[in-house]
Amino acid sequence: AMPAGQAASRNTGGHAAGAMDTKHAHGASPSDHIRNQNFKQEVRSDPRLKHCFWKYQPQVSHFYHNPKVMYTVAFIILANFVVECIQRQIDPFGDKYVGAWRATECIFSILFLAELMINMYGSWFRPFFSVGWNYFDM
């Protein structure tokens, strides 16, 4: 006799019964992708949205989810981390180069705010809040 979990796994093609969809490398499951595509189709097909604030949402979403943009955002996150490490090593109390640290902090804050605004506009509402990383961004 086979344990119940193994039997359920074999009957569902290797997945436990009731298990969620497998995640892709970027964190979204196939059903998340389909749900987002359906939402984008709803937005494009709604005639009221052609002349309002949201009329560029599909284009902005497509732009933001471009791999080049994703790699750029990842690079900015990494650069911010490196700058913070350098600051803690050469000026642990932040009293030697106050202007330089304030400037880098402002630059990274503006870049992260712009990234958040682009992401929110392109993915608003349901698709944005369905991704856990977006909570971290806020």
Side-chain angles (χ1 to χ4, degrees), residues 7-137:
S9 177
R10 286 193 179 188
N11 291 337
T12 58
H15 300 291
M20 296 182 65
D21 294 329
T22 57
K23 298 284 182 182
H24 289 288
H26 55 80
S29 69
S31 63
D32 289 340
H33 178 70
I34 291 168
R35 195 174 317 121
N36 288 342
Q37 291 296 61
N38 289 342
F39 177 77
K40 288 176 190 173
Q41 189 64 31
E42 289 172 24
V43 169
R44 280 192 215 112
S45 64
D46 191 342
R48 297 171 296 170
L49 300 178
K50 297 219 187 270
H51 301 289
C52 76
F53 176 75
W54 299 108
K55 70 181 182 179
Y56 297 109
Q57 186 179 25
Q59 293 91 338
V60 171
S61 177
H62 181 74
F63 165 78
Y64 181 77
H65 292 95
N66 181 314
K68 290 179 183 177
V69 174
M70 293 282 113
Y71 288 128
T72 301
V73 170
F75 174 78
I76 293 169
I77 293 169
L78 181 62
N80 184 39
F81 174 74
V82 169
V83 168
E84 288 294 322
C85 290
I86 291 170
Q87 177 187 356
R88 300 296 176 233
Q89 290 298 311
I90 66 173
D91 191 5
F93 301 107
D95 56 0
K96 292 181 185 174
Y97 308 104
V98 176
W101 304 134
R102 185 157 297 151
T104 58
E105 184 178 329
C106 286
I107 290 168
F108 283 116
S109 294
I110 290 168
L111 290 172
F112 289 133
L113 178 62
E115 181 262 339
L116 177 63
M117 291 173 64
I118 291 168
N119 186 7
M120 287 180 92
Y121 179 81
S123 303
W124 193 257
F125 178 80
R126 198 175 4 170
F128 180 81
F129 286 106
S130 68
V131 177
W133 283 108
N134 291 335
Y135 289 98
F136 180 72
D137 283 347

